[in-house]
Amino acid sequence: MKLLFENWRRYLAEQERPGPGRTQSRYEKETNPPPIRMDGFGNAIYYATGERGRILQEEDIHKSAKVVITNEEGKVLVLKRSPESHYKPEHWDLPGGHLKKGEAEEAAATRETKEETNLDISGLTKVRTDESITWYKATSYSGDIELDLAENTDWAWVSMEELKEKEYTPDTVEIVELALGEEEDM
């Protein structure tokens, strides 16, 4: 046990990170990123500040792909973001997430939807592209919904009227209206 503790002390000294009984100086806090503890997939607790939030994985980039999925009743699948979410906690959002380096937007939309909901989607058509987000509409899906509870705490199939009553992430209602409007034109 003593050897384990000594190795831990040596590791902390090499990493210049605070350990038991040692806090970061103001200079260290300003120049070194605070040490983190992972809490589930992609979630972190920053020791120096106590702040919680989702961090990008090394291979993630700052572009996202989201998907509008409708069921046979014309309702849209929305997911409730977790309370620990760094961006818009406990707001309703569409399935999707960050692209990985070298990944196509359509592939990211499919992968992220599978990771978050366990649904396999197909027949993606682009609804809109902004600076950092591309939204798609899926023409079909298969599977049963199983949430990744690290990212989302609830899911629902909602009508347009029900969606407007919820707290949602920016552009969600506008994107769903665009996607559903395109369906009506077909």
Side-chain angles (χ1 to χ4, degrees):
M1 184 69 165
K2 185 176 178 182
L3 180 61
L4 179 65
F5 185 69
E6 289 302 317
N7 286 339
W8 176 247
R9 252 193 194 160
R10 191 175 311 117
Y11 170 77
L12 290 175
E14 289 170 3
Q15 299 297 316
E16 298 184 61
R17 299 192 179 204
R22 180 178 180 277
T23 58
Q24 284 185 308
S25 70
R26 183 172 173 209
Y27 174 76
E28 287 174 321
K29 286 180 185 176
E30 291 173 1
T31 59
N32 297 330
I36 60 172
R37 173 172 61 93
M38 296 306 292
D39 182 25
F41 177 78
N43 290 321
I45 298 173
Y46 296 85
Y47 285 127
T49 62
E51 181 182 343
R52 298 176 67 93
R54 188 169 193 295
I55 60 172
L56 289 175
Q57 303 298 309
E58 266 187 43
E59 64 274 6
D60 288 350
I61 61 173
H62 289 282
K63 287 194 173 196
S64 299
K66 302 271 185 181
V67 183
V68 176
I69 304 170
T70 55
N71 65 10
E72 54 279 346
E73 298 166 9
K75 293 188 173 188
V76 176
L77 177 64
V78 290
L79 309 174
K80 188 172 187 179
R81 300 172 68 83
S82 76
E84 289 83 27
S85 179
H86 182 68
Y87 178 74
K88 299 288 184 187
E90 297 187 338
H91 282 65
W92 292 86
D93 196 6
L94 298 169
H98 290 276
L99 279 69
K100 301 207 177 290
K101 288 179 186 171
E103 185 176 36
E105 293 168 336
E106 210 170 296
T110 303
R111 176 186 52 78
E112 281 286 346
T113 300
K114 180 69 173 176
E115 287 175 7
E116 290 184 355
T117 66
N118 194 44
L119 294 179
D120 294 306
I121 58 173
S122 60
L124 293 182
T125 55
K126 196 177 287 190
V127 175
R128 186 169 92 186
T129 300
D130 285 349
E131 253 180 53
S132 61
I133 303 176
T134 300
W135 288 274
Y136 291 92
K137 176 180 64 176
T139 57
S140 64
Y141 68 91
S142 62
D144 295 322
I145 296 175
E146 293 176 30
L147 286 183
D148 172 4
L149 296 175
E151 294 189 45
N152 302 291
T153 59
D154 200 4
W155 61 274
W157 291 102
V158 296
S159 65
M160 198 62 219
E161 294 77 31
E162 293 169 322
L163 180 65
K164 288 179 180 178
E165 295 172 3
K166 297 181 179 294
E167 279 192 280
Y168 49 87
T169 55
D171 297 323
T172 299
V173 171
E174 183 182 344
I175 295 300
V176 170
E177 285 175 338
L178 277 173
L180 296 180
E182 288 176 11
E183 280 181 5
E184 291 169 4
D185 294 341
M186 294 180 168

